[in-house]
Every structure is written in C-alpha cells, then in structure tokens.
Amino acid sequence: MSIFKKYLKGWQFRDTTPSLTAGDELDVFVAESNSDGNGHVYIGDTHLIVEGAGPTTVEKRVRVRVTEFDETDATGRGEFLEIVGESSYTS
C-alpha cells in the first residue's frame, strides 16, 4: 500500500444533499422558525421543515424524526422530538 493510500484510508466525501428516509432520527440545529410553529433546518443543500419546532428551538440542537423526504428536491418534513443541546453562539 502506498503512503498516499495509507493517508487517505477511510476518507470519504460528504454529500451536500444527504439521503434521508422516513423514520430517521437526526440531531440538528434549527435555523429559523415561522409563525405557524414550524422550524427550518438546513443540512447542506437539504431543507427540512420541522413541525413543532417553534421559536424557543431556534439556534438550539434538537432531535428530529424525518416523516417524509423527497430526494429529487432535497426537501422534507420532520417532527420535533426534544431539545438535546445549546448552540455555542447563544449566550
């Protein structure tokens, strides 16, 4: 095995549009919330609308269960499960 192959062993490229399936649970940060109580999560180019993630979850790390996902558009919906952490940017 060459030194180059040893150096790169185990490396893989991340995709900007991850493939998600209904039932997947993710820990993500809520970027924003709208007036109907849904939060918006962005994972690379993927956009999830999270039902029940209201204004109190913005900039917090939350656990979300994916309820539907369209791979073609990299969009989907999920349900808020719980807050699991704080952002390092909030005081």
Side-chain angles (χ1 to χ4, degrees):
M1 179 180 285
S2 74
I3 188 135
F4 184 70
K5 284 186 180 180
K6 283 183 182 181
Y7 181 73
L8 294 178
K9 185 177 181 182
W11 280 29
Q12 61 183 355
F13 290 102
R14 287 183 7 182
D15 193 351
T16 59
T17 54
S19 177
L20 304 172
T21 57
D24 285 350
E25 288 188 10
L26 313 167
D27 290 348
V28 293
F29 284 98
V30 177
E32 58 189 5
S33 178
N34 57 21
S35 60
D36 59 0
N38 294 329
H40 294 267
V41 170
Y42 301 94
I43 308 166
D45 294 334
T46 298
H47 177 215
L48 292 178
I49 297 173
V50 182
E51 296 172 21
T56 59
T57 64
V58 173
E59 295 186 359
K60 298 220 167 94
R61 188 177 183 115
V62 300
R63 183 159 295 133
V64 171
R65 181 178 300 121
V66 177
T67 55
E68 60 186 73
F69 187 72
D70 180 1
E71 254 185 79
T72 306
D73 295 331
T75 58
R77 299 186 77 76
E79 66 178 307
F80 168 74
L81 299 176
E82 64 181 330
I83 294 176
V84 295
E86 299 288 325
S87 170
S88 60
Y89 298 111
T90 57
S91 52

